[in-house]
Amino acid sequence: MAIIEVSNLKKSYGKLDVLKQITFDVNKNDVVAVIGPSGSGKSTMLRSLIHLEEINGGSVRVTGDYLVKDGVYSKAQEVKKITSKMGMVFQHFNLFPHLTVKENLEIAPKMLKTESISAIQQRSAELLKKIGLSDRATAYPANLSGGQKQRVAIARALMMNPEILLFDEPTSALDPELTGEVLQVMKDLAEEQMTMIVVTHEMGFAKEVANRVMFMDNGEIIESGHPEDLFNNPQFERTKAFLNRNLK
């Protein structure tokens, strides 16, 4: 069953059409890699799913509930409920510099006050162990490497127990030698069957971990399919040209 259903999504900035009739579904436990050249609308599409961008037309449905239907958003309370099912990991980490690693993880659930402090602290400890950073719980972001910051950002998103994780180019701000540690955490999540949509330039990750790859160009999904099919036998010239440039 589809956990995310997107139909005819449109987004414009003035006369510039950034997203043109974007339509796709994501099933529970899918890992969908979104690839394509810079400026093709990948990040805008991703941000639209969690209401960080307002769309101009189309529909987004998450776990059966409409975030937006035919360009009209649900009531604010419903939007909040729907977007809370998703976690977002950004390119530039977006950690609070004045809070420790542990505090970064715990701030949002503590503000919501829906569970005990001890339960929140236990989960943050478990997640820090999961990402291999138990020893950095009291460190501040300024004292972490880029790879460590991104791992903390992933753990922070997981603190809210999301059903879906969205990644917006999570390794593109990292030095190449730090990319592997972040990708490993994402691979582990995929093995645990977390539903993920990953905008990425990491073709190896898309090939190895995703069960579906979407190629976007100029605000459109040009091609979508199993990684083996899309990488080895692309159907469209634009896909072939992109892969020829990026698989060297």
Side-chain angles (χ1 to χ4, degrees):
M1 176 192 159
I3 195 168
I4 297 177
E5 300 162 86
V6 177
S7 57
N8 299 318
L9 203 64
K10 289 186 278 188
K11 171 72 180 176
S12 303
Y13 295 112
K15 292 184 178 179
L16 178 65
D17 293 329
V18 182
L19 299 177
K20 307 169 186 174
Q21 307 284 355
I22 295 286
T23 296
F24 66 94
D25 290 348
V26 177
N27 292 324
K28 190 172 173 58
N29 309 134
D30 273 354
V31 178
V32 179
V34 186
I35 64 172
S38 297
S40 59
K42 305 184 301 295
S43 294
T44 302
M45 180 275 291
L46 197 72
R47 291 168 65 87
S48 299
L49 301 182
I50 200 165
H51 199 221
L52 292 175
E53 295 276 359
E54 291 229 343
I55 62 162
N56 302 117
S59 304
V60 176
R61 196 153 71 148
V62 180
T63 62
D65 298 316
Y66 279 103
L67 173 71
V68 55
K69 185 176 182 181
D70 298 327
V72 179
Y73 280 89
S74 296
K75 291 179 180 175
Q77 194 172 354
E78 180 73 4
V79 167
K80 190 175 179 182
K81 185 188 93 174
I82 292 167
T83 55
S84 71
K85 297 175 182 179
M86 295 178 275
M88 181 102 177
V89 179
F90 298 90
Q91 182 177 348
H92 293 291
F93 327 127
N94 290 14
L95 299 177
F96 295 111
H98 62 292
L99 299 180
T100 65
V101 165
K102 184 174 183 289
E103 290 165 343
N104 263 284
L105 264 62
E106 296 176 1
I107 183 171
K110 282 180 177 176
M111 287 172 70
L112 284 176
K113 298 180 179 176
T114 54
E115 57 187 325
S116 68
I117 297 293
S118 61
I120 292 169
Q121 290 175 335
Q122 181 181 347
R123 195 160 73 256
S124 72
E126 288 169 354
L127 283 169
L128 286 175
K129 184 178 179 183
K130 182 187 182 81
I131 62 168
L133 289 176
S134 295
D135 61 333
R136 306 311 307 270
T138 58
Y140 287 89
N143 298 317
L144 301 178
S145 70
Q148 289 172 330
K149 288 177 190 174
Q150 194 60 290
R151 283 188 278 158
V152 172
I154 293 171
R156 182 179 61 180
L158 290 169
M159 279 294 290
M160 304 305 291
N161 291 318
E163 295 180 47
I164 302 151
L165 270 185
L166 310 176
F167 292 85
D168 189 9
E169 303 199 13
T171 60
S172 63
L174 302 179
D175 293 331
E177 64 268 22
L178 300 177
T179 296
E181 64 192 62
V182 174
L183 293 178
Q184 187 56 55
V185 172
M186 295 168 66
K187 288 175 187 175
D188 292 344
L189 289 171
E191 286 174 9
E192 292 166 15
Q193 299 201 304
M194 169 63 77
T195 305
M196 300 193 284
I197 306 177
V198 185
V199 171
T200 184
H201 285 107
E202 295 290 335
M203 297 298 135
F205 175 86
K207 271 183 170 180
E208 182 186 343
V209 182
N211 66 315
R212 182 146 55 94
V213 178
M214 297 195 312
F215 170 65
M216 285 184 69
D217 191 19
N218 196 27
E220 301 173 290
I221 296 174
I222 305 301
E223 193 165 346
S224 176
H226 190 275
E228 197 172 316
D229 297 330
L230 191 137
F231 283 109
N232 295 336
N233 190 27
Q235 299 300 300
F236 294 88
E237 286 304 321
R238 274 196 276 179
T239 316
K240 290 175 186 174
F242 175 80
L243 293 175
N244 284 338
R245 288 195 304 272
N246 289 275
L247 288 177
K248 291 173 182 174

